[in-house]
Amino acid sequence: MAGKDCVKVAVRVRPFNKREREAGSRCVVSMSGNAITIQDPRNPHTRRTFTFDYAFWSHSGFIRNRDGLFVAEEPGGRYADQGSVFNDLGQGILENALQGYNATLLAYGQTGSGKSYSMVGYGPNKGLVPTLCERLFRAVKANQESCQCQMLFSMLEIYNEQVIDLLSKGARSPAGLRVREDQQRGFYVEGLRRVPCDSAEQVEQLMEQGTRTRTTAATHINANSSRSHMLISAQLKQIFTEENITKQSNINLVDLAGSERQRCSGLEADRLKEGTAINVSLTTLGNVISSLADAALGKKVVHIPYRDSVLTKLLQSALGGNSRTVMIATLSPSDICYEESLSTLRYAERAKRIQNKAVVNESPTERLVKELKAENVKLLLRLSRLGQDGRKTEEESKELRRLLTHNEMQIKAIQTLWEHHLQEALKDWETQYATITQERRMMQMHPYILNINEDPQLSGVVKLFIQEGDWDIGLSEGTSRTITIKGLGIQERHAVFTNEDRRVSITPVSGAKLMVNGLPITYRTELQHLDRLILGSSSTYLFVGFPCERGAEDWSRYDYDYFQSELAAAAGIHIPTLCEEQSPGEPSVGLAQTDPSLLAVFYDYIKLIPMVTEANQMSQELNKGVEFKLEIKNLAMSDCRGRDLEKDIAVRVTSLENKQVWMWSKVKFVNRKFLMEEVYQQQVGSGGGQGAERQPLPRDRDPFWDPLEPLHLGSAHLWLQSLAFRIPLEEQVEVLGPEGTEEAILQAQLLPCSPMGLPLGEEDILIDPTELLGKRLDFQLFLEQCCGLRWLKEAKNRGVQIGFRVYDCPQTFYTPAVWHNVNPLLEHRLHFSAMRTSQDLLNYLQSSALVLELWGLQEGCADMVSSMEGLRMTPEGSFIIDKASAPDPSVLESPGCVSDLRSSMRALHQDLEQLRSANAALRKENNTLREQLNRGSESAGRGRPERRGSLRPSCDAELARALKVFYHSMTSVRAQLQRLRRHRPSEEADLLGLRLFVDEQSRLLRDFGEQLEESVTALKQDVAAIVRRKRERSGIWS
C-alpha cells in the first residue's frame, strides 16, 4: 500500500437492519472476490458490477460470541468482522503514519449504512478509529527507547458550512471557527484545540467528550447528525534521537454526512434549492472527486473546486495532495435502498481513479531547533575569535551574548512546550475521569433521564439526574436546583420534576410542550421506569427509575424510531391502519407480511414527525403564521383500473391568516426545513428572542413562503363499461381526497352519440360489445355540477377545476374555473370519437374508469388550461381517441378538404336518417306480414313440421328489449343509492334533528327497496312472458 499513490477504495456490505427485516427486504447485492454486483429489483436482468481494492461481506454468516464480538459463523467464513477491516485498511494507515506520510480515511454512504459502525464501532466491536489509536500507541511504546513520540488529537464537526470544535472548553462561537490558509500548512482551522495524548485511553476519553459536545450542540442548533461531517485529526511527531531525524504525519479520519441527501436534493425542482448551505460540502466533494478522476484519465481539467466548501478545503491534501488516502463506502444490500447503494458505488468508482503525491514530512519545529543550535555555534565561534584577536568591544560582546541567550530560550521553549501541554492535558483528563466516576456513582443512587438521538452513536450520552425534592428543567441556569437543557420549544422554566417518597413525577409549566409516552400532558404525571419524554419540539429522553426498579430489560428497543412511532400511533397512523386502507376486506397480517411500500411510507412518516414539529416551532417563534401538517398521499386513491396508487408522504402548509394552502413533497419540505434552520439561526440564535424586532425576509428568499399553485384535492371514478354497449350513463360520483375524506359530489354523464353529437336511440344499444370492433364510436362527456365542495366551505375566496385524461390522449383536459360557490354549475361538455374501434380501446372501456381529478384554486393562482398540442380532431370538432387505429390524419385535417368533408358528412347524416326511417317502416311491414303468415299457417294445418330455429331470433330480440328496459330502470336505482350514500346528518344536529334524519333515511331506504323490487319484478315478468310465448309457438309448430 505504501508504494502506491492512488486512492484505495473499499466497500462494505452491512446486515439488514430492523426496518429492512420487518419489510421482508430482499438482498440485491452479491460479492465475488473484490467485485460487487448489484441487481435492479424492478428488472432482475439489469445488473451492474464494480471492482474495488477491497470488498468486505458483513451481511450474513456471523454470530455473536461470549465476549459480544461479531465473528464468522464458521472458521474461514466469508464474513468480514471489525478485525478483518482493520487488518486490510487500518494497518496500512498505521504503517503510513509511522513512516511519516500523511494518511486519510474517508467513510462514505447513506445514513444508516454502517459508516459510524465501521469508523467508531459499538460496544466491544471497536471500529477503525479506536483500534488505530490503540495500535499506534502500542507501536510507540515498543520504540520508546529509540524514538520520542508526540501526538496531538483534535475533533471537529462541519455542519451547514460552520466548523464546531468538539473539544473546546469555552463557549461556542455562533458563526463557528474560521478556516485560514497558510503557505506552509495549507488550509487549517484557526483556534482549533489540539490536545496532547500519550495513551489510547486518553484518546477514547476525548472521543467520548467530543461525542457529548456533538450531542448537546445538535440539540441546541437543531442539527441532524446525518447532515454533518465529523473529522478526527491526530498529528503524530516522531523524533529519532540517534539518527537525528524527525518524521511528522497528519492522520485524518472523516465520517462524511449521509449521501442520500445529496441524491434526493436533485429529485424535485425548488426555487430555493440552491440557497441552503447544507448540501454544499457533499456537492463540492463530488465535484472535486469528479475533476480529479477526469484528470487521472488524461482529460483537461481547468479548475478543481477545493475552495468551494469548508470540507474540501480541509481535505485538499487527502484528495490529490500529500496523503495516502483510503475510502470505505458502506452499503445496504436491501432492495428498498437500491438507488442509494447504486449511487454510492458510482461515487466510489470515481474516487478510486484519484492519484495523490505523498511524501515523507519533516517537522518545521525540529528544523528550527537545528537552525537555532547551528546559529549558537556560530555566535560562540565569533565571541572566541573576538577574544583571541584582542579586538573585543563591550557593545559587540553584549549583542552577541543577547542573541545567544535569546536562541537558547527559544530552544528551551520549543523543547518544554510539549511537556507543558501534556501536563495540562493530563490534568484535564484527571478532571474528566473524576466527573465520569461521579456520574457512575450517581447512576447507582438516583433516577435520571437519558437522551435519545436519531444517531445511535449519540444516544445515551447525556444523563440528567433527578435528586430528592423539586427540580426545575428548562433553559434557565439561575438556581442550583435547575436542570438545564436546550432545544427548540424549550421555555426558560419548562417543567418541574418532583422526587419524593421514592416516586418521581413531572409537572409542565403553563404553555410548555410536554409529552409522555406519545401523549401530551398538562398536569402532574407520575413517571414509571422507561417512560418516554419529549420536551419542547423534539428533545427526547428516556426516564430511568430508581436502581431497585431496573431489571434485565433491553433498553435498546426504546430508540428514536420508537418515540416517533408512539407519536404516529397517537395520530392514528400505524401499520395495522395502513393495512386496512390497503385491503379493507382481508384479515390483519403481521408486520413481516406487510407490503414493503407501506412500511417505507410509515418509516418516512415517523422520520418527518420531529422535523414538522420543529418547523412549526420555528414558524411560531419567527411569527411566520404558517402551520405544517403531515399527510399520506394517495392513502385511499386508485388509478383508472381501480389499483391502489403508490403512497407517499406530503406536507400540507397552511397560512393561518388568509387560509392559503400549499402542498409540499417530502423532498421539498426537507430542503426547506434546513433553510428554515438557517433563517432561525440568523434571527433567533444570534440574539433576538421570540417576538423581538426583526428585519423581514424578502419573499423570494423566505423558505416559509411559496407562490400559489393549484392543489390536487381528490378524484372520482366514472366507469366506462356502459359505452361498450352504447348505453347512456348518468352518475353522481364521490370525489375522495388523498386520505379518504369526501371532498365533493360530482354529477356526470356519458352519452353515446352520433358523429354530429345527436343522442342514440334504444335500437342502437348493443348486446355484444365486439360489434363495435372496426366501427366508429362517438360519445360525449358532460360534467354537470359539483355539490358540497369542502374546499369552498373552508374559505369562500377559492375556486375549482376538474381535470381528466381519456385513453391515449396525450394532454389533460380541464373544465373552466368556477369560483366562490360551494355547489358550482360546470356544464362542461366534450365530444370524443374513435374512428375505428380497436380491441385495446374496447378492453379499456370494459375495465377502466375515467379518473376525474378535482383541483383547488386560490386567489393569485393561475387557472389550468388544456393544451391542444398533440391532439387530433374530426371535421365535426370532436377529439380523436384510439389513434393507433384511426385513419391517416392528413385525410381528416387537411385544410383544403375540411369544408368538403363537413358538407359530405351532413349529406351522409341526412341520408342515414332517411334510411333509418325507411328501415323502421320496413320492420313494421315485415312484422305485419309475419303475423299474417302465422295466421295463414295455422289455418292451413297444424301437422306440417317446421324448423324451430326460426323462432330463436324473435325470442332473442324480445329478451334484448327486456334487458334494455331493466338496465334503464337500474340507472334510477343507482341514482337513489347515490342519494342514500350522500345523505348524512348535520354535524351540529340535535336529538330532534337526528330523529328527522332517521325518518328521512327510512323513507329513502323504502323508496330504494321499492324501486329495486319493481325493476327485478318487471324483468322476471318479461322473461316469463318470453318463455311462455316461446312454448306456445313451439306447441303450434310441433
Side-chain angles (χ1 to χ4, degrees):
M1 179 174 178
K4 296 182 180 179
D5 289 331
C6 288
V7 171
K8 300 295 180 183
V9 177
V11 173
R12 190 178 192 186
V13 181
R14 65 156 172 78
F16 285 147
N17 60 24
K18 177 184 173 184
R19 293 183 182 180
E20 292 162 348
R21 288 194 303 270
E22 290 176 347
S25 294
R26 184 168 55 90
C27 180
V28 294
V29 175
S30 59
M31 187 181 295
S32 176
N34 291 339
I36 304 285
T37 300
I38 186 167
Q39 173 185 337
D40 188 344
R42 294 160 298 190
N43 185 4
H45 300 292
T46 303
R47 298 170 180 264
R48 290 287 308 274
T49 300
F50 303 83
T51 304
F52 300 100
D53 299 286
Y54 303 96
F56 302 111
W57 182 262
S58 302
H59 173 63
S60 58
F62 62 92
I63 57 171
R64 174 179 280 182
N65 65 13
R66 294 180 180 179
D67 299 326
L69 294 172
F70 293 108
V71 295
E73 204 168 20
E74 299 177 357
R78 65 188 301 207
Y79 175 73
D81 59 9
Q82 296 284 62
S84 303
V85 175
F86 179 82
N87 291 337
D88 285 342
L89 303 183
Q91 189 64 37
I93 293 172
L94 176 62
E95 292 172 1
N96 286 329
L98 293 173
Q99 291 173 18
Y101 291 99
N102 291 335
T104 301
L105 174 64
L106 301 169
Y108 181 85
Q110 74 178 101
T111 301
S113 62
K115 296 191 307 296
S116 296
Y117 179 78
S118 296
M119 292 289 284
V120 181
Y122 186 77
N125 297 279
K126 293 185 178 180
L128 286 164
V129 177
T131 307
L132 177 63
C133 293
E134 183 182 327
R135 299 284 181 89
L136 186 62
F137 283 108
R138 189 185 300 174
V140 166
K141 286 183 180 179
N143 300 323
Q144 60 185 357
E145 294 181 1
S146 60
C147 173
Q148 178 188 354
C149 289
Q150 300 173 359
M151 181 173 172
L152 294 172
F153 184 87
S154 64
M155 191 173 177
L156 63 86
E157 181 181 47
I158 302 172
Y159 178 80
N160 204 16
E161 288 301 280
Q162 293 184 3
V163 179
I164 303 166
D165 186 354
L166 297 177
L167 301 180
S168 175
K169 291 182 179 179
R172 186 181 68 86
S173 168
L177 302 179
R178 299 186 65 178
V179 176
R180 300 284 191 181
E181 186 177 16
D182 180 78
Q183 283 189 336
Q184 297 285 340
R185 300 168 61 185
F187 289 105
Y188 68 96
V189 179
E190 185 181 43
L192 180 68
R193 186 182 178 214
R194 299 189 174 198
V195 182
C197 298
D198 64 353
S199 69
E201 290 75 14
Q202 276 185 281
V203 172
E204 189 174 343
Q205 184 58 46
L206 287 169
M207 287 180 62
E208 188 174 329
Q209 177 190 340
T211 303
R212 182 185 294 269
T213 305
R214 192 181 183 197
T215 304
T216 54
T219 303
H220 183 54
I221 66 172
N222 319 318
N224 186 323
S225 64
S226 66
R227 301 290 299 174
S228 64
H229 315 279
M230 185 176 68
L231 196 155
I232 296 173
S233 294
Q235 187 183 75
L236 176 66
K237 182 177 180 181
Q238 304 171 86
I239 304 170
F240 297 89
T241 52
E242 293 182 3
E243 296 86 352
N244 200 22
I245 297 174
T246 298
K247 293 180 180 179
Q248 179 173 304
S249 65
N250 293 314
I251 307 170
N252 294 317
L253 307 168
V254 187
D255 188 354
L256 296 170
S259 60
E260 77 285 348
R261 302 294 189 196
Q262 172 69 6
R263 185 184 71 83
C264 287
S265 63
L267 284 179
E268 180 174 310
D270 183 0
R271 64 183 181 89
L272 294 178
K273 183 185 69 175
E274 302 300 329
T276 177
I278 277 289
N279 294 320
V280 168
S281 289
L282 271 182
T283 304
T284 307
L285 180 62
N287 294 339
V288 167
I289 288 176
S290 296
S291 299
L292 291 171
D294 289 343
L297 293 174
K299 297 181 181 179
K300 185 178 180 181
V301 178
V302 178
H303 171 65
I304 297 175
Y306 290 114
R307 297 175 180 272
D308 290 357
S309 78
V310 169
L311 177 68
T312 47
K313 286 178 183 178
L314 299 178
L315 293 182
Q316 182 171 4
S317 63
L319 299 170
N322 177 22
S323 178
R324 295 276 175 85
T325 300
V326 175
M327 173 186 280
I328 180 169
T330 53
L331 301 179
S332 163
S334 169
D335 51 356
I336 60 177
C337 296
Y338 167 76
E339 296 291 344
E340 314 287 359
S341 298
L342 179 61
S343 174
T344 299
L345 289 170
R346 286 172 173 163
Y347 200 93
E349 187 177 43
R350 291 199 304 269
K352 72 179 184 181
R353 300 174 187 157
I354 299 173
Q355 295 180 352
N356 290 349
K357 302 171 184 177
V359 296
V360 177
N361 301 293
E362 183 182 6
S363 170
T365 305
E366 188 63 22
R367 188 168 57 247
L368 177 60
V369 172
K370 290 179 185 177
E371 292 171 354
L372 289 171
K373 285 182 177 180
E375 188 176 349
N376 278 2
V377 171
K378 292 178 183 178
L379 290 173
L380 287 170
L381 184 61
R382 286 180 63 186
L383 280 173
S384 63
R385 285 177 179 173
L386 285 173
Q388 290 172 2
D389 295 343
R391 290 175 288 144
K392 180 179 179 181
T393 61
E394 188 176 353
E395 291 79 7
E396 190 172 3
S397 176
K398 284 183 178 180
E399 179 63 21
L400 288 173
R401 291 187 184 280
R402 188 189 66 79
L403 290 172
L404 185 63
T405 304
H406 177 71
N407 287 349
E408 287 177 348
M409 289 178 64
Q410 278 192 283
I411 293 171
K412 186 177 181 180
I414 290 171
Q415 290 176 337
T416 59
L417 186 62
W418 165 254
E419 286 80 3
H420 175 70
H421 285 326
L422 187 58
Q423 290 300 319
E424 285 189 348
L426 286 172
K427 289 179 182 178
D428 289 344
W429 186 78
E430 289 173 359
T431 303
Q432 291 172 18
Y433 184 78
T435 303
I436 293 171
T437 304
Q438 175 67 14
E439 183 180 88
R440 289 174 180 169
R441 190 180 303 116
M442 296 277 284
M443 289 171 63
Q444 301 305 317
M445 297 170 58
H446 304 289
Y448 58 92
I449 56 175
L450 187 74
N451 83 296
I452 302 297
N453 195 282
E454 183 180 5
D455 186 347
Q457 299 288 335
L458 303 184
S459 287
V461 174
V462 177
K463 301 175 184 70
L464 303 174
F465 295 95
I466 307 168
Q467 301 181 51
E468 289 188 2
D470 291 340
W471 292 82
D472 292 345
I473 185 168
L475 296 172
S476 175
E477 302 177 4
T479 66
S480 58
R481 301 190 68 81
T482 297
I483 302 172
T484 302
I485 62 170
K486 298 185 183 299
L488 259 181
I490 302 295
Q491 299 182 173
E492 287 292 318
R493 184 169 175 264
H494 197 85
V496 179
F497 280 110
T498 303
N499 181 354
E500 59 184 9
D501 300 331
R502 300 191 67 79
R503 292 184 176 183
V504 178
S505 60
I506 186 170
T507 307
V509 175
S510 176
K513 295 178 181 177
L514 177 61
M515 307 191 86
V516 177
N517 300 335
L519 300 173
I521 63 168
T522 56
Y523 48 85
R524 179 170 176 168
T525 302
E526 185 175 337
L527 298 178
Q528 305 297 323
H529 178 52
L530 298 183
D531 273 352
R532 283 77 59 201
L533 309 180
I534 301 180
L535 289 82
S537 296
S538 55
S539 299
T540 49
Y541 293 91
L542 183 67
F543 173 72
V544 180
F546 288 93
C548 61
E549 299 175 336
R550 305 169 198 169
E553 308 100 329
D554 181 14
W555 297 3
S556 62
R557 65 187 290 257
Y558 298 108
D559 57 6
Y560 194 75
D561 282 354
Y562 191 96
F563 279 66
Q564 307 310 321
S565 298
E566 282 190 324
L567 293 177
I573 302 296
H574 42 83
I575 293 297
T577 57
L578 290 179
C579 291
E580 287 170 12
E581 293 290 346
Q582 176 80 359
S583 50
E586 296 178 7
S588 59
V589 294
L591 203 57
Q593 287 79 37
T594 305
D595 183 357
S597 64
L598 287 179
L599 278 175
V601 169
F602 176 71
Y603 287 127
D604 279 343
Y605 188 94
I606 64 175
K607 191 172 185 178
L608 288 184
I609 285 176
M611 300 183 72
V612 168
T613 307
E614 290 171 2
N616 279 322
Q617 185 65 35
M618 287 188 282
S619 171
Q620 180 181 335
E621 293 190 24
L622 295 175
N623 298 321
K624 291 294 182 179
V626 173
E627 183 181 62
F628 301 89
K629 181 187 176 186
L630 274 176
E631 291 188 359
I632 300 181
K633 188 178 178 183
N634 299 332
L635 182 60
M637 300 184 74
S638 55
D639 64 7
C640 65
R641 293 183 181 269
R643 298 170 299 198
D644 290 329
L645 292 176
E646 184 178 354
K647 292 159 184 59
D648 201 357
I649 300 298
V651 178
R652 188 182 184 90
V653 188
T654 306
S655 171
L656 300 177
E657 181 182 357
N658 51 27
K659 301 299 182 183
Q660 290 179 337
V661 180
W662 298 264
M663 194 64 74
W664 289 352
S665 69
K666 174 184 65 178
V667 174
K668 184 172 185 176
F669 170 74
V670 169
N671 182 64
R672 290 296 182 89
K673 164 68 165 48
F674 294 120
L675 284 169
M676 293 172 198
E677 287 180 12
E678 291 181 24
V679 173
Y680 184 83
Q681 296 299 321
Q682 294 166 5
Q683 299 196 11
V684 174
S686 59
Q690 184 174 350
E693 289 290 332
R694 303 185 185 96
Q695 189 70 25
L697 272 177
R699 267 194 164 182
D700 59 343
R701 290 176 49 209
D702 189 350
F704 292 88
W705 179 86
D706 240 5
L708 291 172
E709 295 178 349
L711 245 66
H712 182 244
L713 303 178
S715 59
H717 286 62
L718 187 63
W719 292 94
L720 303 172
Q721 189 175 14
S722 63
L723 290 178
F725 297 89
R726 289 206 299 220
I727 296 175
L729 175 68
E730 181 178 356
E731 285 278 17
Q732 293 181 332
V733 290
E734 285 181 306
V735 181
L736 297 179
E739 295 188 333
T741 56
E742 185 183 288
E743 297 293 331
I745 297 293
L746 181 62
Q747 297 178 7
Q749 296 182 39
L750 286 173
L751 304 171
C753 62
S754 69
M756 297 304 296
L758 299 175
L760 299 181
E762 286 190 9
E763 66 275 6
D764 296 301
I765 295 177
L766 302 176
I767 299 299
D768 184 2
T770 57
E771 294 181 36
L772 278 175
L773 290 175
K775 298 180 181 178
R776 175 163 175 164
L777 171 66
D778 288 85
F779 67 91
Q780 292 181 346
L781 171 65
F782 180 51
L783 301 178
E784 187 175 354
Q785 187 175 15
C786 221
C787 301
L789 279 167
R790 187 174 171 216
W791 175 247
L792 268 294
K793 291 177 183 177
E794 295 172 355
K796 297 296 184 183
N797 59 341
R798 293 173 174 176
V800 292
Q801 286 183 270
I802 304 292
F804 56 91
R805 183 174 290 186
V806 180
Y807 190 46
D808 58 355
C809 285
Q811 304 296 337
T812 302
F813 297 92
Y814 295 102
T815 63
V818 286
W819 294 80
H820 317 303
N821 194 339
V822 177
N823 303 305
L825 285 174
L826 302 175
E827 296 186 335
H828 185 69
R829 189 187 298 267
L830 285 178
H831 187 162
F832 297 93
S833 301
M835 308 309 291
R836 287 198 292 263
T837 303
S838 67
Q839 185 64 53
D840 284 343
L841 175 60
L842 198 59
N843 294 339
Y844 169 77
L845 295 177
Q846 291 181 298
S847 62
S848 301
L850 195 64
V851 181
L852 304 169
E853 297 182 331
L854 179 64
W855 292 86
L857 306 176
Q858 303 169 79
E859 287 188 348
C861 168
D863 297 356
M864 293 182 293
V865 181
S866 305
S867 171
M868 295 294 108
E869 184 179 353
L871 296 178
R872 289 163 51 193
M873 300 184 71
T874 64
E876 299 82 20
S878 63
F879 294 99
I880 295 178
I881 60 172
D882 201 12
K883 296 178 183 177
S885 61
D888 187 354
S890 60
V891 177
L892 295 173
E893 298 175 356
S894 174
C897 301
V898 170
S899 58
D900 294 340
L901 284 172
R902 285 181 178 171
S903 59
S904 300
M905 286 298 295
R906 290 193 191 95
L908 287 172
H909 183 68
Q910 291 174 359
D911 293 343
L912 181 63
E913 293 299 325
Q914 291 175 1
L915 288 171
R916 280 181 176 170
S917 301
N919 189 32
L922 288 171
R923 280 182 180 178
K924 186 176 181 181
E925 186 178 355
N926 194 27
N927 289 334
T928 305
L929 291 173
R930 184 179 288 111
E931 290 176 0
Q932 292 175 359
L933 179 62
N934 289 339
R935 286 194 296 270
S937 300
E938 183 179 1
S939 60
R942 301 175 184 268
R944 188 171 49 191
E946 285 289 341
R947 290 176 298 174
R948 298 179 183 180
S950 59
L951 297 174
R952 203 165 293 157
S954 175
C955 293
D956 288 346
E958 290 175 353
L959 182 61
R961 281 195 292 272
L963 288 173
K964 290 177 187 178
V965 172
F966 175 72
Y967 190 90
H968 281 294
S969 63
M970 286 304 294
T971 301
S972 61
V973 171
R974 280 198 302 271
Q976 183 70 4
L977 179 61
Q978 291 289 343
R979 282 194 289 273
L980 271 170
R981 293 174 63 186
R982 233 178 25 253
H983 187 237
R984 296 176 184 175
S986 171
E987 294 179 359
E988 302 175 354
D990 54 9
L991 183 59
L992 179 60
L994 289 173
R995 286 177 178 171
L996 293 174
F997 166 76
V998 170
D999 293 341
E1000 179 67 14
Q1001 186 80 350
S1002 301
R1003 185 187 64 79
L1004 290 174
L1005 281 170
R1006 188 170 57 255
D1007 292 345
F1008 172 73
E1010 290 174 356
Q1011 288 188 16
L1012 184 60
E1013 187 176 355
E1014 286 176 3
S1015 300
V1016 174
T1017 302
L1019 179 63
K1020 288 180 179 178
Q1021 291 174 350
D1022 290 342
V1023 171
I1026 293 170
V1027 171
R1028 186 173 59 254
R1029 283 195 292 273
K1030 182 177 179 181
R1031 287 176 178 173
E1032 290 175 354
R1033 291 172 184 171
S1034 299
I1036 293 171
W1037 292 97
S1038 57

